[in-house]
Amino acid sequence: MQEALTIGQLSARSGVAQSALRYYERLGLIRAERTSGNQRRYHRTELRRVAFIRIAQQVGISLEEIRSALDSLPASRTPTAEDWAKLSTTWRARLDEKIRLMSRLRDDLDACIGCGCLSLRRCTLYNPEDNLGGEGPGARLVLPG
């Protein structure tokens, strides 16, 4: 394998722990070839996949969804910019919604910090006696609306 990286080299280059890389491999997110001594060797293109995994995780995409997206990339060749662009379009609406929700949360928190909860009647996050608990788990007042 030309330009192969050991797991230590991939870890150092990507900033991802070796244990996480082994986990990603076990899940099928990245691929390694094995030497005759059963040591992992990663093609340099795996660096891009690891970077994609880390960024997607940071914005709240599950590893299952990441694997599904990576499975859409060609296995027989290095993905091109066009391949990555196709993948990104499938997530665009979802990421835009996450950005909108995070902006709303940021703006609501700015208002909370300024109010100091002196007026609970106007508070957009206040849920007296857990009245919204019957609607299901999780935050109900900061959901898209």
Side-chain angles (χ1 to χ4, degrees):
M1 179 183 222
Q2 191 177 25
E3 298 187 45
L5 300 170
T6 66
I7 193 167
Q9 291 168 325
L10 183 62
S11 176
R13 290 282 314 276
S14 66
V16 175
Q18 292 181 27
S19 58
L21 294 172
R22 287 189 287 274
Y23 181 64
Y24 293 164
E25 185 182 349
R26 208 169 36 252
L27 293 179
L29 299 170
I30 61 175
R31 292 179 286 272
E33 293 183 9
R34 298 294 181 134
T35 67
S36 59
N38 203 31
Q39 295 177 335
R40 291 173 171 86
R41 292 294 184 265
Y42 298 91
H43 193 274
R44 289 187 182 277
T45 57
E46 295 301 303
L47 281 166
R48 186 172 297 131
R49 291 174 74 95
V50 172
F52 175 78
I53 293 164
R54 299 296 292 170
I55 291 167
Q57 281 186 297
Q58 288 175 4
V59 297
I61 308 290
S62 73
L63 288 176
E64 183 177 315
E65 292 172 289
I66 294 167
R67 182 178 58 226
S68 177
L70 290 173
D71 285 347
S72 73
L73 294 173
S76 59
R77 62 175 170 77
T78 301
T80 63
E82 183 178 307
D83 294 325
W84 286 104
K86 284 180 191 175
L87 186 153
S88 75
T89 59
T90 63
W91 282 0
R92 186 166 302 277
R94 179 157 181 225
L95 293 173
D96 286 345
E97 178 59 22
K98 281 187 170 288
I99 291 167
R100 190 189 71 72
L101 181 59
M102 291 173 70
S103 295
R104 181 174 167 208
L105 177 61
R106 178 203 57 216
D107 295 345
D108 286 350
L109 287 176
D110 284 350
C112 283
I113 291 167
C115 92
C117 291
L118 297 176
S119 176
L120 293 179
R121 282 181 237 173
R122 291 188 339 223
C123 182
T124 60
L125 301 176
Y126 183 57
N127 180 20
E129 298 177 29
D130 193 26
N131 293 327
L132 299 173
E135 293 183 18
R140 312 308 301 167
L141 295 174
V142 291
L143 293 176

